Amino acid sequence: MRNINLAIVFLFIIMSAKSIAQCEAKNRILPDGTLVFYFDPADFYISKSKSLKINIQTDKEHFFIALQPLPFPSKAEGKKIKDDLIILLADQKEYELSHYDTQYRHNDSVMQVLYLMNDKDVEAFSKFEAVTAKINMKGTEFVRDYNFKLHKNAIIQQLNCFLKEEKKD
């Protein structure tokens, strides 16, 4: 009996540590001096021909959804991406996020497109899983639809981590 109780306590400690670690945001300073907080991107979609990673970033004033699609267009073509992102959430509503910036990072081996989340939509993104994203990828096959298969709740988890931190401040 004592071993069972000890095992339960040990399991609880491990689960608690894992849930705390999931809210450890990283940060970096952008060239313009802005401090940005972010989480490692989560895989949302993977197939033989394309993939999509996604994460939440914040400058403590606004929330952004950062997408890392593969394959991605050349830098010259990618800088032409200016269209908004359409995301369908589990509440069966489509949300339009404004294009904010397109970045090429890590010696141009990663393309990241930032979309600004409307303040009025933050609550929905913190409650409902992402179902589908529609992205206009200039220089590729135009509009790509991604039906999310993996880590559908990554936006919820990451956004709620930031929102909890915001309430503490």
Side-chain angles (χ1 to χ4, degrees):
M1 183 67 166
R2 183 169 184 234
N3 288 341
I4 293 173
N5 288 339
L6 189 58
I8 291 171
V9 169
F10 183 69
L11 184 62
F12 178 74
I13 291 171
I14 289 173
M15 289 175 58
S16 297
K18 185 177 179 183
S19 67
I20 291 169
Q22 290 176 346
C23 278
E24 289 184 24
K26 298 178 179 181
N27 63 60
R28 64 186 158 109
I29 298 174
L30 300 178
D32 68 358
T34 304
L35 180 61
V36 175
F37 298 90
Y38 66 97
F39 292 98
D40 286 329
D43 291 320
F44 256 37
Y45 181 90
I46 298 175
S47 74
K48 290 180 181 178
S49 61
K50 59 185 177 181
S51 70
L52 181 68
K53 292 184 178 196
I54 194 166
N55 68 319
I56 299 292
Q57 297 185 11
T58 185
D59 60 4
K60 295 289 186 170
E61 291 182 36
H62 304 97
F63 292 104
F64 301 90
I65 289 186
L67 300 180
Q68 293 178 359
L70 275 176
F72 55 83
S74 68
K75 199 171 192 176
E77 288 295 317
K79 289 294 184 177
K80 295 177 185 175
I81 295 174
K82 301 287 183 206
D83 291 352
D84 295 341
L85 170 69
I86 307 293
I87 292 189
L88 174 69
L89 296 182
D91 65 353
Q92 298 304 310
K93 293 181 185 174
E94 285 189 346
Y95 296 86
E96 187 171 339
L97 284 72
S98 302
H99 176 270
Y100 186 78
D101 191 22
T102 301
Q103 306 168 346
Y104 284 78
R105 301 175 45 211
H106 306 294
N107 296 321
D108 297 343
S109 64
V110 174
M111 174 191 170
Q112 178 172 276
V113 186
L114 291 173
Y115 296 94
L116 178 62
M117 192 180 298
N118 292 325
D119 291 340
K120 63 181 176 61
D121 296 336
V122 169
E123 184 176 349
F125 278 92
S126 70
K127 291 181 180 177
F128 299 104
E129 290 181 338
V131 177
T132 306
K134 296 178 184 177
I135 307 163
N136 189 347
M137 284 289 152
K138 306 268 191 225
T140 59
E141 72 270 9
F142 302 105
V143 177
R144 289 187 195 172
D145 286 346
Y146 292 92
N147 293 314
F148 298 139
K149 305 290 183 200
L150 306 168
H151 305 108
K152 291 180 175 187
N153 61 350
I155 293 173
I156 295 170
Q157 291 173 340
Q158 293 179 12
L159 189 56
N160 282 328
C161 285
F162 284 133
L163 292 172
K164 285 179 193 172
E165 193 66 33
E166 218 174 64
K167 287 180 182 177
K168 289 180 186 177
D169 295 341

